[in-house]
Amino acid sequence: MRHFGHIAPEVRQRLFHQEPCEFTADSSSRLLSAALGATLYSPATRPRLADDVVKQTGRGVVSMVLCLEDSIGDEDVADAEENLVRQFTDLAGRTGTDLPLLFVRVRSPQQIPDLVRRLGPAVRLLSGFVLPKFTEERGIPFLEALSGAEAASGRRLFAMPVLESPELMYRESRVETLEGIARAVDKYRDRVLALRLGVTDFCSSYGLRRAPDMTAWDVQIVASVIADVVNMLGRADGTGFTVTGPVWEYFRVQERMFKPQLRRSPFLEGQAEELREALIEHAMDGLLREISLDQANGLLGKTCIHPSHVLPVHALSVVSHEEFSDAQDILRPERGGGGVLRSQYTNKMNEVKPHRAWAERTLLRAEVFGVANEDIGFVELLAAGIPG
């Protein structure tokens, strides 16, 4: 699989200076953690789930979570598990079909070995589990169960803990909770692919819900939690993990209070004014702003609950030609001693030592999402990725 792999090769050639790399479920954890992109969630109760997975793969989705937790009712869990096993078996029988990275969001540690056993040979399609309401106390049993299921099945399985508990929201318990989470995920570092943020649960602790023209970063009590998670768990010194962006809840806006947040000029230059109007109509201007703020604050990828959110996440994850040029300059072997240099675009200072970690992350993102050609921006990437 590869990002933008659903686009015709000749179109990719026009868009990209460096095309996104190909990867598989067996690629390195370093590569996969960066490549998750927009992770699309789907309830495990869907009767045509296998068809849905194949359909979304054809639209550019590279990672999906099939949910047995909050998206389904308590009374539906047993039926959802049966359906999940049936749909995995269906997918396993479809030879030559490209599939995304598939994860299952479970409710309890006991579900992990049980589902792995029931999947049988179809477990080869499973990349891991999403672990809800993760703290040290609640999370260790999940990680132990995953480790045991991996050993029993012979299949490498990753964990994606969701940080969403009230203990993280409350100031008096936040640092202690984060320190416990850090101990737990560090112990199982080779199995933890990424940390996910449950911002809806954060808001729930205070009876809040952000409006479609506001981002998670505008809700200060939520933004403070995300900042502390990145501070303690997303460091670039080798101790950190990939932290993914929060879910965007909206599909369409009936009425808005604030002006649209998408500048008109990039769309006029790309002759895509209709695309701009469609994005605004479906609340995508708020999503695009939130994605940009996610990236500016150290997050990579995003939880998505609607297929229309996937392409904006991927389009804004592509590395610009200017970013790529700066990152390459900073990491040249002859720059190992440090120093300051003017960027090739002659519009900024690149300071080798302070910008090194940024450059390394940028080149990893460039590997999985590609590098745009000099004259290509996110508008062209969005327009090219929309199914005809």
Side-chain angles (χ1 to χ4, degrees):
M1 70 193 88
R2 71 194 309 173
H3 283 288
F4 297 94
H6 64 301
I7 295 176
E10 61 272 17
V11 178
R12 287 204 308 269
Q13 195 170 35
R14 177 177 61 81
L15 295 173
F16 290 99
H17 170 77
Q18 174 183 298
E19 289 195 26
C21 71
E22 292 186 347
F23 57 93
T24 72
D26 297 318
S27 296
S28 71
S29 58
R30 175 178 176 272
L31 189 73
L32 292 180
S33 67
L36 287 167
T39 301
L40 184 64
Y41 277 54
S42 178
T45 50
R46 292 180 68 89
R48 298 181 63 85
L49 189 58
D51 291 335
D52 293 341
V53 169
V54 173
K55 178 180 178 181
Q56 296 308 326
T57 306
R59 294 183 172 184
V61 172
V62 303
S63 63
M64 289 187 70
V65 172
L66 312 178
C67 185
L68 293 168
E69 207 223 359
D70 285 348
S71 68
I72 65 173
D74 297 344
E75 68 281 3
D76 295 326
V77 174
D79 288 343
E81 288 179 345
E82 288 184 16
N83 186 57
L84 189 71
V85 172
R86 187 165 56 250
Q87 301 292 337
F88 261 86
T89 303
D90 180 346
L91 286 171
R94 302 189 188 196
T95 57
T97 302
D98 291 330
L99 296 175
L101 304 172
L102 293 175
F103 301 85
V104 174
R105 183 174 178 173
V106 288
R107 293 180 171 223
S108 69
Q110 295 75 26
Q111 283 179 301
I112 293 176
D114 181 57
L115 285 170
V116 167
R117 177 187 58 80
R118 291 164 65 182
L119 284 172
V123 75
R124 63 182 175 82
L125 304 182
L126 180 66
S127 288
F129 292 91
V130 175
L131 314 180
K133 299 171 179 60
F134 193 93
T135 62
E136 182 179 29
E137 181 181 1
R138 289 194 291 269
I140 288 293
F142 278 103
L143 291 169
E144 289 175 343
L146 182 139
S147 182
E150 181 181 70
S153 67
R155 169 69 182 165
R156 181 180 70 168
L157 298 171
F158 288 111
M160 291 200 290
V162 185
L163 310 187
E164 55 187 344
S165 65
E167 297 95 321
L168 275 175
M169 279 297 292
Y170 302 149
R171 185 169 182 176
E172 67 271 18
S173 56
R174 185 180 305 168
V175 172
E176 182 181 355
T177 302
L178 282 169
E179 288 174 342
I181 291 170
R183 287 191 295 269
V185 294
D186 187 61
K187 182 178 178 181
Y188 291 86
R189 175 171 292 274
D190 59 340
R191 293 283 74 88
V192 176
L193 191 62
L195 304 176
R196 312 200 72 88
L197 293 165
V199 164
T200 302
D201 283 56
F202 289 162
C203 290
S204 174
S205 297
Y206 290 88
L208 304 175
R209 186 174 190 179
R210 69 188 189 276
D213 43 12
M214 290 190 179
T215 72
W217 300 97
D218 295 315
V219 184
Q220 289 301 301
I221 197 165
V222 170
S224 70
V225 183
I226 302 175
D228 286 344
V229 168
V230 175
N231 190 323
M232 296 184 67
L233 297 170
R235 299 177 186 180
D237 60 0
T239 66
F241 296 82
T242 293
V243 182
T244 64
V247 69
W248 182 257
E249 299 178 348
Y250 296 95
F251 321 137
R252 189 178 183 92
V253 178
Q254 302 301 326
E255 183 179 357
R256 62 171 63 239
M257 182 181 299
F258 299 110
K259 292 171 60 178
Q261 301 172 77
L262 280 180
R263 290 189 303 114
R264 189 180 300 272
S265 54
F267 291 86
L268 291 176
E269 292 167 9
Q271 297 183 334
E273 179 67 10
E274 288 185 8
L275 173 59
R276 178 179 180 272
E277 295 300 325
L279 291 170
I280 291 170
E281 181 183 358
H282 289 83
M284 296 297 186
D285 54 326
L287 171 61
L288 290 168
R289 181 167 177 264
E290 183 166 285
I291 296 166
S292 297
L293 289 170
D294 288 347
Q295 293 176 356
N297 286 280
L299 308 184
L300 182 61
K302 200 166 186 65
T303 294
C304 294
I305 44 105
H306 195 273
S308 64
H309 299 166
V310 171
L311 182 56
V313 175
H314 293 168
L316 284 176
S317 297
V318 173
V319 173
S320 72
H321 189 272
E322 182 174 344
E323 289 176 308
F324 185 64
S325 172
D326 289 339
Q328 282 192 314
D329 278 353
I330 290 164
L331 295 176
R332 291 187 191 283
E334 63 269 26
R335 308 289 188 197
V340 177
L341 56 146
R342 185 175 64 172
S343 76
Q344 288 190 22
Y345 277 70
T346 68
N347 59 0
K348 72 177 74 65
M349 174 193 74
N350 289 327
E351 196 167 351
V352 173
K353 289 184 177 179
H355 289 144
R356 174 168 289 275
W358 168 85
E360 290 171 346
R361 284 188 169 185
T362 298
L363 290 190
L364 177 58
R365 184 160 57 92
E367 186 175 356
V368 294
F369 289 102
V371 179
N373 273 319
E374 285 189 72
D375 59 341
I376 297 296
F378 78 92
V379 173
E380 289 83 2
L381 291 161
L382 277 172
I386 295 173

